[in-house]
Amino acid sequence: MTEQFSRLHDVFNTKHLFVITSHVNPDADAIGSEVALALYLKGKGKEVRIINQSITPDHLLFLTKLFPVHTYNSDLDLHILDADCFCVVDTNSPKRFSAMAETVAKSNAVKVCIDHHLEQESFADLYVIDTDVPAASELLYRIFTDDDPALITLPVATALYAGIMTDTGSFKFPKTDAETHLITAELLKRGVDPYAVYQEIYESGEINKLHLLGKALECIEVHYNGRVACMALPRSVFTETRTTEADVDNLTQYVLSIRNVVVGLVFIEQPDGVKVSLRSKGEIDINIIAKKFGGGGHRNASGARLKDITLADAVTALLTSIKEIV
Ligand SMILES: [Mn+2]
């Protein structure tokens, strides 16, 4: 990692115009990482713009008050083409920022990828990837401290904290270790208010979101002697509850909450197919299954998008495929 860190510092020190992006449907680690990196680079006197494919969900808007986040449209292409450094955080797959991927490929900017997911794809000039850290935000903390800890101001620390808190499931997911807690302690020492961040992210929802959750919980089914739990949401639940897919948050925790369940699947019907989130406990490698369906992620947490398939057929296909590993 030391080698990659110093190459990254070289790029950061020699380039001036930066564009940062992350994945479609950004979560708090995506936006937290982007905002923290943008503020850090600004602290080094750089010009920075964050451009995302999707809009920022309501519960993460507080992060965009720390640094603006633009939603991509072709008018922004010139910024991507003009940039001399293009940074991708919290994903390593151009498919996950596909709307602007073509422009990015045309740009002469040095492409940097800072991430913690498996199966890196070939598109960047420099990869700083650590699949052992629970959050891209944790990796960024290490990058910043390796350069100059003074650049971790309170807004930077707040953005990093949001990413680490959410990607560790509030400090409980498997990759949470002593280092994560030590880093978190450093962020708190810089003045981060953990309850304020928690409230913004988890205590600022609408009642419709709970009605959606109610319907989602009601449809959970178990298979294979209770070892696999499945939740399958048709698009109609969003109209019924006056919600959108952006209101779906971490539903996988509920399928995994059942005793003896080792694999949890959450399906959400899309206009052009089905999106599935896959989770597993312990040694079960769910990423193998996600890859079979053109997706990917981590051993215990992956995702895939199945095109031109009904919800019912997607459930059957996944359950059939999973049989061999449970
Ligand atoms: Mn992440």
Side-chain angles (χ1 to χ4, degrees):
M1 239 344 115
T2 339
E3 157 92 39
Q4 269 102 315
F5 277 18
S6 60
R7 286 181 62 197
L8 184 63
H9 296 321
D10 278 350
V11 173
F12 285 169
N13 289 330
T14 52
K15 302 299 172 187
H16 188 70
L17 278 177
F18 291 77
V19 169
I20 302 173
T21 199
S22 187
H23 53 81
V24 64
N25 302 325
D27 55 12
D29 190 33
I31 297 194
S33 294
E34 292 180 301
V35 166
L37 180 58
L39 291 166
Y40 160 83
L41 290 169
K42 215 178 127 194
K44 291 168 75 73
K46 311 295 178 175
E47 269 188 60
V48 194
R49 197 174 289 262
I50 300 174
I51 304 175
N52 281 345
Q53 180 161 338
S54 316
I55 58 158
T56 304
D58 287 350
H59 66 284
L60 301 178
L61 286 174
F62 75 104
L63 292 170
T64 68
K65 287 179 192 149
L66 305 175
F67 197 95
V69 175
H70 301 276
T71 305
Y72 176 76
N73 63 64
S74 54
D75 292 347
L76 294 169
D77 277 345
L78 64 128
H79 296 292
I80 299 171
L81 293 167
D82 277 356
D84 54 18
C85 183
F86 185 81
C87 302
V88 177
V89 294
D90 199 35
T91 180
N92 57 42
S93 163
K95 282 196 293 270
R96 304 210 69 208
F97 52 89
S98 58
M100 64 185 107
E102 210 179 297
T103 314
V104 173
K106 275 189 223 153
S107 163
N108 290 321
V110 172
K111 285 133 200 149
V112 166
C113 175
I114 301 168
D115 186 36
H116 67 127
H117 294 87
L118 299 169
E119 320 287 340
Q120 82 181 48
E121 287 182 26
S122 171
F123 73 97
D125 303 296
L126 174 60
Y127 294 90
V128 181
I129 293 185
D130 185 346
T131 58
D132 292 328
V133 295
S137 301
E138 181 174 322
L139 181 55
L140 281 170
Y141 175 88
R142 296 180 194 202
I143 291 166
F144 300 165
T145 43
D146 187 59
D147 176 26
D148 179 4
L151 291 167
I152 306 178
T153 56
L154 176 56
V156 172
T158 301
L160 293 177
Y161 181 85
I164 296 173
M165 178 188 78
T166 51
D167 257 26
T168 58
S170 299
F171 309 99
K172 63 182 179 289
F173 290 160
K175 286 177 184 169
T176 313
D177 58 11
E179 188 66 18
T180 307
H181 283 279
L182 288 169
I183 287 172
T184 305
E186 288 301 322
L187 299 176
L188 296 186
K189 277 189 208 163
R190 284 170 166 81
V192 172
D193 180 343
Y195 188 50
V197 176
Y198 180 87
Q199 279 193 301
E200 291 281 4
I201 296 179
Y202 296 119
E203 296 186 344
S204 62
E206 304 288 335
I207 189 166
N208 306 30
K209 221 170 144 173
L210 287 182
H211 293 155
L212 172 66
L213 176 61
K215 286 190 183 287
L217 296 179
E218 233 175 322
C219 78
I220 296 175
E221 285 177 358
V222 290
H223 303 269
Y224 302 133
N225 295 322
R227 289 177 60 77
V228 177
C230 233
M231 176 193 282
L233 298 179
R235 291 207 77 68
S236 57
V237 294
F238 299 117
T239 14
E240 283 164 28
T241 56
R242 279 175 287 125
T243 53
T244 68
E245 209 185 317
D247 297 311
V248 164
D249 192 29
N250 206 5
L251 290 176
T252 50
Q253 64 179 304
Y254 303 104
V255 283
L256 283 186
S257 72
I258 306 162
R259 188 195 296 269
N260 297 329
V261 161
V262 289
V263 170
L265 303 171
V266 173
F267 298 84
I268 300 176
E269 188 184 9
Q270 304 289 307
D272 61 346
V274 174
K275 185 178 115 180
V276 57
S277 300
L278 305 91
R279 296 291 184 275
S280 65
K281 293 178 187 167
E283 294 303 309
I284 294 183
D285 185 352
I286 203 69
N287 195 41
I288 294 173
I289 306 294
K291 274 163 64 188
K292 275 191 193 169
F293 291 92
H298 310 277
R299 185 185 67 182
N300 296 118
S302 283
R305 282 170 183 270
L306 287 67
K307 297 274 182 211
D308 305 318
I309 190 169
T310 65
L311 188 58
D313 286 348
V315 173
T316 309
L318 263 292
L319 283 176
T320 308
S321 185
I322 272 160
K323 193 168 187 176
E324 60 196 70
I325 63 162
V326 296

